[in-house]
C-alpha cells in the first residue's frame, strides 16, 4: 500500500456490501414498512443506492420516493418503528456472504491481525446477523450505527474502534465498499482498502480515495501480508 509505512496490526471491516449482500433483507423490510403505509413495493435496484447511511436515512429516502419532506416527517416515527419490526423478523434470512469473506477473515486471523466490525447498521440488527452467518467468532469487538454519537463517514466510529483496540490509527486498515468507509477511515488516519462489489450509493468505486481496490477479503488479507513484509 504505502512502502515503508507502519505495519498493520488490525482491520476494521464493514458489514453491508462488504461481507454480506443484505439488499434482499432491506427489500423485504422496506416493502413491509411501505405496505403498512399504503405504498407500492420498490425493487432492489432502487434500494441498493440508498444503502449505507444508517436505518434512519434509508427509511426516509425510501419514503421520499413517494412523498414530500413534510409528509415524511409526519409519519417518520411510525415508519421507522415498522421498518425495524419487519427487519428483525427477517434479519439475515435472505442475505448471503460474498465470495472470499470467510477465507479472508481466516487468513487475517492467521496473520495475527485483530478484527473489529464497524457498520452503520443498528447494533440490534448487527449482532444476530453476524452470529447467524458464522462471522461473530472472528471479531473481538462489534460497533453498530448507534454505538457512537455519529455514524460513518464521520471519523468517530473508526477512532472509537482504534481506541477499543488500543492501537493508533496508523496501524489499522479499514475495509469497506463505500465512500462512507473510506472518508471515515481517511479522516481517522487509517489505511483504506475498498471492495468493488458492494453498494457505494450507486457511484463507481474508482472515485473513492483509497490505498487499493481488492476483489475480496481474501485478496485484502494478501495485500496486508505483503505490506507487512516491507513495513517498519
Amino acid at each position: 500500500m504505502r512502502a515503508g509505512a507502519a505495519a498493520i496490526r488490525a482491520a476494521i471491516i464493514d458489514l453491508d456490501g462488504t461481507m454480506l449482500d443484505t439488499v434482499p433483507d432491506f427489500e423485504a423490510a422496506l416493502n413491509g414498512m411501505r405496505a403498512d403505509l399504503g405504498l407500492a413495493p420498490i425493487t432492489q435496484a432502487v434500494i441498493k443506492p440508498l444503502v449505507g447511511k444508517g436505518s434512519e436515512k434509508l427509511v426516509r429516502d425510501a419514503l421520499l420516493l413517494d412523498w414530500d419532506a413534510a409528509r415524511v416527517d409526519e409519519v417518520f416515527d411510525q415508519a421507522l418503528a415498522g421498518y425495524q419490526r419487519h427487519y428483525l423478523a427477517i434479519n439475515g434470512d435472505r442475505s448471503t456472504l460474498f465470495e472470499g469473506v470467510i477465507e479472508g477473515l481466516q487468513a487475517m486471523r492467521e496473520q495475527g491481525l485483530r478484527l473489529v466490525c464497524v457498520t452503520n447498521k443498528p447494533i440490534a440488527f448487527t449482532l444476530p446477523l453476524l452470529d447467524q452467518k458464522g462471522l461473530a467468532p472472528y471479531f473481538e469487538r462489534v460497533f453498530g450505527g448507534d454505538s457512537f454519537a455519529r455514524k460513518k463517514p464521520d471519523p468517530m466510529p473508526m477512532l472509537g474502534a482504534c481506541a477499543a483496540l488500543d492501537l493508533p490509527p496508523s496501524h489499522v486498515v479499514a475495509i469497506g465498499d463505500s465512500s462512507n468507509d473510506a472518508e471515515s477511515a481517511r479522516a481517522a488516519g487509517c489505511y483504506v482498502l475498498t471492495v468493488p462489489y458492494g453498494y457505494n450509493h450507486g457511484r463507481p468505486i474508482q472515485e473513492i480515495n483509497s490505498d487499493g481496490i481488492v476483489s475480496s477479503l481474501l485478496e485484502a488479507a494478501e495485500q496486508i501480508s505483503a505490506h507487512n513484509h516491507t513495513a517498519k
Side-chain angles (χ1 to χ4, degrees):
M1 283 171 273
R2 296 197 294 270
I8 294 169
R9 304 300 182 204
I12 298 172
I13 305 176
D14 178 51
L15 181 56
D16 300 300
T18 301
M19 291 192 286
L20 290 173
D21 181 5
T22 48
V23 167
D25 282 354
F26 290 125
E27 179 187 29
L30 286 172
N31 284 332
M33 174 269 290
R34 286 173 59 87
D36 293 343
L37 297 171
L39 296 174
I42 53 178
T43 66
Q44 291 187 25
V46 172
I47 293 166
K48 191 173 179 179
L50 307 180
V51 173
K53 300 286 189 180
S55 294
E56 295 85 356
K57 185 162 178 22
L58 178 62
V59 168
R60 187 174 294 278
D61 287 347
L63 295 177
L64 286 169
L65 296 169
D66 298 85
W67 292 334
D68 62 24
R71 175 63 175 146
V72 172
D73 287 343
E74 288 176 6
V75 303
F76 181 75
D77 290 346
Q78 173 191 350
L80 181 62
Y83 167 76
Q84 291 172 333
R85 183 178 69 255
H86 285 291
Y87 201 103
L88 283 170
I90 56 88
N91 188 12
D93 289 351
R94 305 181 185 194
S95 61
T96 55
L97 283 161
F98 287 113
E99 186 176 349
V101 169
I102 295 296
E103 296 87 344
L105 295 175
Q106 289 174 338
M108 291 181 206
R109 288 288 297 272
E110 287 167 5
Q111 291 178 41
L113 295 176
R114 300 169 66 191
L115 302 180
V116 175
C117 178
V118 174
T119 173
N120 279 347
K121 185 186 290 293
I123 197 71
F125 298 171
T126 300
L127 293 175
L129 182 58
L130 289 172
D131 189 57
Q132 180 189 125
K133 299 302 181 182
L135 300 174
Y138 293 99
F139 296 97
E140 64 178 78
R141 296 293 298 271
V142 177
F143 298 103
D146 45 0
S147 296
F148 302 99
R150 294 189 289 276
K151 299 177 175 67
K152 298 179 289 185
D154 191 278
M156 182 180 287
M158 297 296 181
L159 291 170
C162 291
L165 291 165
D166 196 25
L167 285 172
S170 59
H171 287 276
V172 178
V173 62
I175 306 171
D177 68 305
S178 79
S179 57
N180 275 348
D181 307 297
E183 290 172 19
S184 178
R186 276 280 186 255
C190 300
Y191 294 98
V192 184
L193 291 174
T194 50
V195 296
Y197 50 73
Y199 311 142
N200 195 33
H201 325 299
R203 304 293 301 174
I205 197 73
Q206 290 79 9
E207 294 181 2
I208 294 176
N209 177 20
S210 75
D211 294 302
I213 299 173
V214 291
S215 63
S216 66
L217 290 193
L218 181 57
E219 185 180 346
E222 293 165 354
Q223 292 271 1
I224 293 165
S225 177
H227 169 86
N228 282 348
H229 277 101
T230 61
K232 295 185 208 179

